[in-house]
Amino acid sequence: MFAFAADPDYLTETRRLMADAQAAFERGDLAGSVDGFVHVARRHPAIAGGWVQAAAAGLRAGVSSLALTAARRAMLIDPASPSAAALLTVASTAEPLAGRHRATALWALTHPDKAEALGALASSYQELGQSREAERAARDALHADPSMAWVRVNLAVILRESGREVGAETELRRAVIAEPGANLAWRRMAGFAETLSKLELAGGAARRALVIDAEDHVSAVFLSIVERRQSDLESARQRLQALPEALEGEAGRDAVEFELGTVLDRLGRYGEAWAHFERGNEIAVQRAPSGTADPRLFVNTLNAYAGAVSNGWPARWTPLLEAEPPAVFMIGFPRSGTTLLDQILDAHPDAGVIEEQPVLSSVGAGFAALGEGTLAERLAALTEADANRLRAEYRAKLARWAGEEGSRPRVVIDKMPLNIVYLPLALRLYPNAKVILSLRHPCDCCLSCFMQSIKLNSAMASFTSMEGAAGFYARVMALWQEIERTLSPDHITVRYEDLVADTEGTARRVTDFLDLDWTDAVLDHTAHAKARGMIRTPSFRQVSEPIYTRAVGRWARYWDQMSPYLDTLAPYAAHFGYGDPRAIPRGEDDSES
């Protein structure tokens, strides 16, 4: 400590300055309060308390940079100060994720007996995607204080993401018992139960949340989804239309627009429905984090792989030793029925489907991004050592989701629709791999993508307009046609329309192709989907219901809106046996074609 700190007059003046700063705060002069506390801190720069006061004043005044600097100074002087650690955590909220996490971890490490700090650490680990560490911190927090409902809600989210739905539901029930008057746990219960098709539980929880807070718009959206799924379409429509125009956060206005469009579609009000889907996509693009709604990155990768199988490049591939394919590849354009088919196949005791996880896609994207020369040149010149390295990488990623060899099902299916793009690499590494291609009428595929509220990324960004969806379909399926022509993959084609019209016959074709014995278990896919728990695709609601045909030929009900894009899609409709969509009269479906 500096010598002048012991000077009585100096200390008296410090106390006066402290009192003045506090008085400024009490009369609402936040700027004056900040200046006063900073002045005190600078008079005693080696004492943590002054910097703590300055940090608190900075937070109150909204001067986050000052608060962060002062909190860091306090922690350097006194790392054991609980106030300094807590203030550092709060002041770091505007910092990048890594910086926020360091501040939160410091708080928790210096106060391991403080339940709130451990709960915050669990949330920080969740943000980082470190679920194991997040779960451990959350359980430590609840061991210290079992009454913290918000930590139980976060733990439930962690458990659900790792596929432990029973544990997640248990934690949510404990959360509503611990804090029955807070709507967060009820809202989470509503969303959780709806994704598991427990509609009575979901509806009851959403209504309870709305009793607690009538302005809980997220719970209102959940309740409208439950009402739609229970065929109470008018109640769902009225509830959605009563929501305010300005909505942000967990369920923004885009979610409301998509859901309202879906309800109006079910009511047969197609022109109104289309307008809401358009608006939902526009808002989703506006709300998307910077760069996530730009399709160019994925399209560039697509073009690179298309170039690798065009202009005779496969004929120049250096020979590689045969390698046993560890998985079957299920591909298709999004919304082509892959999720329904994967639930049917996953119900087979000798088959397991990896549902839209970054297995082949991460290996394929990494290979496209790294290396000298064009992708076509690198794929052609692939050495045995490079191929073995890529196969090892693929097997390691496969093991994460399917289990180690010896403990996984006999047939593992790597299902990701847009793996069409990475199929040239997969067939380079495993020429004998089996491929399941899911097809659906191109117009229905694109319309369904356009109607769907999805988390935007470069691969999904094309679906925010019908022009983008149709153009993207043409690029993707042109690549498939070139793969089929040049690489002749061992494949089977499954049309969605056949799957819903003759589920058993179509399923028998696929199980024969995969050398699986027939079992009637695959026909009870609805029960399997519910027992399986969380399904990680936008189609989770549909596959938890009995098979229906209302989505077959839906595009013709939107003929006027779809007509500008029919020239783009017609060649592919004809190629895949659907006929020319331009010949379909307005409002009449082509489900018999």
Side-chain angles (χ1 to χ4, degrees):
M1 184 177 294
F2 293 106
F4 57 67
D7 186 332
D9 291 337
Y10 200 87
L11 293 176
T12 299
E13 178 65 8
T14 295
R15 294 188 189 99
R16 186 188 66 76
L17 291 170
M18 288 277 288
D20 289 347
Q22 183 62 30
F25 167 68
E26 291 172 358
R27 66 174 179 268
D29 180 8
L30 297 181
S33 175
V34 168
D35 289 342
F37 283 120
V38 169
H39 187 42
V40 170
R42 287 173 176 165
R43 285 173 66 87
H44 300 273
I47 297 176
W51 295 110
V52 166
Q53 293 283 4
L59 285 173
R60 290 193 295 258
V63 188
S64 58
S65 58
L66 168 64
L68 185 59
T69 299
R72 284 173 173 162
R73 188 70 174 268
M75 282 297 295
L76 286 171
I77 296 167
D78 184 4
S81 168
S83 299
L87 286 166
L88 180 58
T89 300
V90 176
S92 297
T93 55
E95 290 287 283
L97 182 55
R100 298 201 306 272
H101 180 72
R102 284 194 297 271
T104 306
L106 182 60
W107 182 24
L109 288 170
T110 54
H111 303 87
D113 58 339
K114 190 173 179 62
E116 185 180 353
L118 290 167
L121 181 61
S123 298
S124 184
Y125 276 126
Q126 276 181 276
E127 283 190 278
L128 288 170
Q130 298 181 23
S131 57
R132 186 177 302 174
E133 292 81 359
E135 180 180 347
R136 183 170 59 248
R139 294 194 183 280
D140 287 344
L142 291 169
H143 179 74
D145 183 358
S147 69
M148 291 195 300
W150 65 275
V151 178
R152 288 202 182 277
V153 170
N154 288 346
L155 178 57
V157 173
I158 296 165
L159 295 174
R160 177 194 169 194
E161 288 295 322
S162 63
R164 289 172 284 172
E165 283 80 12
V166 174
E169 185 173 338
T170 298
E171 292 302 332
L172 286 173
R173 291 184 183 278
R174 288 171 175 167
V176 298
I177 291 170
E179 201 171 348
N183 64 335
L184 174 63
W186 291 110
R187 182 197 308 154
R188 287 286 182 268
M189 178 72 84
F192 171 80
E194 191 272 325
T195 61
L196 295 181
S197 295
K198 297 183 177 183
L199 299 184
E200 292 300 327
L201 175 59
R207 289 185 177 91
R208 182 67 177 267
L210 288 166
V211 167
I212 296 168
D213 180 4
E215 300 299 310
D216 184 350
H217 304 310
V218 177
S219 293
V221 173
F222 285 145
L223 183 53
S224 73
I225 295 172
V226 171
E227 290 169 334
R228 169 175 59 82
R229 294 185 66 185
Q230 293 176 329
S231 298
D232 189 358
L233 299 177
E234 272 303 317
S235 293
R237 181 188 65 79
Q238 292 172 20
R239 188 176 305 282
L240 290 164
Q241 289 184 330
L243 290 172
E245 184 66 23
L247 282 177
E248 290 293 337
E250 186 178 346
R253 187 69 211 181
D254 51 332
V256 175
E257 296 292 334
F258 280 113
E259 183 57 28
L260 190 51
T262 301
V263 170
L264 291 167
D265 174 81
R266 292 283 299 276
L267 287 168
R269 295 160 61 170
Y270 302 118
E272 294 174 72
W274 182 275
H276 284 287
F277 292 133
E278 274 193 322
R279 184 148 187 261
N281 278 302
E282 290 169 0
I283 297 170
V285 171
Q286 294 167 5
R287 294 183 69 215
S290 177
T292 57
D294 186 349
R296 287 176 295 182
L297 178 62
F298 190 80
V299 169
N300 288 342
T301 302
L302 188 161
N303 290 340
Y305 275 105
V309 292
S310 63
N311 300 319
W313 272 104
R316 291 174 255 181
W317 285 2
T318 57
L320 296 173
L321 296 176
E322 291 288 339
E324 184 67 22
V328 175
F329 299 105
M330 184 190 293
I331 58 173
F333 200 75
R335 308 296 293 169
S336 60
T338 55
T339 301
L340 175 58
L341 181 58
D342 99 44
Q343 292 303 305
I344 290 171
L345 293 175
D346 195 71
H348 196 290
D350 292 332
V353 179
I354 302 172
E355 191 176 55
E356 301 195 16
Q357 296 295 347
V359 186
L360 176 61
S361 59
S362 61
V363 178
F367 182 75
L370 301 175
E372 297 181 357
T374 68
L375 188 141
E377 292 168 341
R378 290 190 289 117
L379 202 60
L382 201 67
T383 66
E384 196 67 47
D386 288 336
N388 285 334
R389 178 183 56 78
L390 290 166
R391 289 170 185 145
E393 183 183 351
Y394 180 77
R395 286 181 177 276
K397 292 179 183 295
L398 191 73
R400 178 182 176 188
W401 302 105
E404 298 294 337
E405 292 185 51
S407 63
R408 64 180 64 154
R410 181 165 64 84
V411 175
V412 175
I413 301 167
D414 181 356
K415 172 246 179 171
M416 177 79 85
L418 287 177
N419 273 349
I420 287 178
V421 171
Y422 307 111
L423 201 58
L425 176 62
L427 294 172
R428 180 76 164 110
L429 300 175
Y430 306 109
N432 298 322
K434 289 180 178 288
V435 177
I436 302 171
L437 173 69
S438 289
L439 287 178
R440 185 182 181 186
H441 194 297
C443 296
D444 272 333
C445 257
C446 291
L447 176 63
S448 188
C449 290
F450 174 71
M451 292 169 62
Q452 191 71 42
S453 176
I454 52 179
K455 184 176 181 180
L456 288 182
N457 56 35
S458 184
M460 300 290 108
S462 294
F463 302 142
T464 56
S465 72
M466 184 53 64
E467 180 181 13
F472 188 51
Y473 184 95
R475 286 172 179 264
V476 171
M477 300 316 288
L479 173 57
W480 164 255
Q481 290 174 327
E482 190 67 11
I483 290 170
E484 188 177 22
R485 185 182 71 82
T486 60
L487 301 180
S488 303
D490 182 10
H491 76 283
I492 186 172
T493 298
V494 180
R495 298 201 335 171
Y496 170 76
E497 294 81 1
D498 298 335
L499 188 61
V500 298
D502 180 14
T503 305
E504 180 174 347
T506 305
R508 283 183 179 275
R509 283 182 54 235
V510 181
T511 53
D512 285 348
F513 173 72
L514 298 177
D515 298 321
L516 292 168
D517 294 332
W518 175 256
T519 170
D520 288 340
V522 302
L523 299 179
D524 197 9
H525 81 281
T526 302
H528 177 73
K530 291 180 178 179
R532 192 178 185 183
M534 188 176 70
I535 298 171
R536 299 175 184 273
T537 78
S539 306
F540 69 87
R541 296 183 180 106
Q542 293 93 319
V543 298
S544 300
E545 301 173 2
I547 289 176
Y548 56 79
T549 60
R550 65 174 180 264
V552 174
R554 175 191 273 146
W555 75 270
R557 301 162 207 159
Y558 294 89
W559 204 98
D560 288 339
Q561 294 87 352
M562 293 287 293
S563 60
Y565 316 107
L566 297 185
D567 287 345
T568 300
L569 297 173
Y572 301 95
H575 178 81
F576 294 125
Y578 290 101
D580 189 339
R582 294 166 296 192
I584 301 298
R586 287 176 173 79
E588 296 184 18
D589 70 44
D590 56 344
S591 56
E592 298 304 315
S593 65

